[in-house]
């Protein structure tokens, strides 16, 4: 979906809606434990959630959720620790 969204210049949700409307089976793509370890490493190096997500081919919210599951403290969009 992300590749189609980029290719056609439309939102990922629009791609998802079109695919659902045409009955295209979807697969959920998550992160393996090794990818979560890599995400944590990159995030701790100062990478943004968006950059880590792009690197791993997932949405930034997927990265955020996995970091939270592992108890990793996160930053706001200005790099300050979240409270």
């Amino acid at each position: 979906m992300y590749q189609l969204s980029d290719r056609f210049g439309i939102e990922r949700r629009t791609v998802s809606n079109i695919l659902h409307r045409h009955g295209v089976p979807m697969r959920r793509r998550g992160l393996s434990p090794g990818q979560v370890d890599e995400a944590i490493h990159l995030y701790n190096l100062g990478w943004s959630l968006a950059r880590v997500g792009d690197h791993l081919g997932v949405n930034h919210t997927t990265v955020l959720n996995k970091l939270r599951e592992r108890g990793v403290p996160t930053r706001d969009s200005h790099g300050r620790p979240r409270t």
Side-chain angles (χ1 to χ4, degrees):
M1 279 195 279
Y2 296 105
Q3 291 173 342
L4 290 171
S5 150
D6 290 342
R7 181 175 180 184
F8 295 105
I10 58 177
E11 291 289 321
R12 183 202 54 81
R13 280 180 273 161
T14 302
V15 173
S16 177
N17 289 339
I18 292 168
L19 295 175
H20 278 99
R21 194 174 21 219
H22 291 278
V24 176
M26 302 296 201
R27 63 182 169 137
R28 295 195 66 94
R29 180 155 185 229
L31 295 173
S32 70
Q35 288 175 312
V36 175
D37 293 339
E38 181 180 4
I40 292 168
H41 173 73
L42 296 172
Y43 188 74
N44 286 335
L45 288 176
W47 287 31
S48 69
L49 293 171
R51 185 175 174 196
V52 173
D54 286 346
H55 177 73
L56 297 172
V58 296
N59 190 277
H60 70 279
T61 55
T62 301
V63 176
L64 177 61
N65 291 335
K66 292 299 181 180
L67 295 180
R68 286 180 174 164
E69 285 175 13
R70 294 270 189 101
V72 175
T74 56
R75 305 178 298 269
D76 67 13
S77 60
H78 301 286
R80 298 178 297 234
R82 291 184 192 269
T83 55

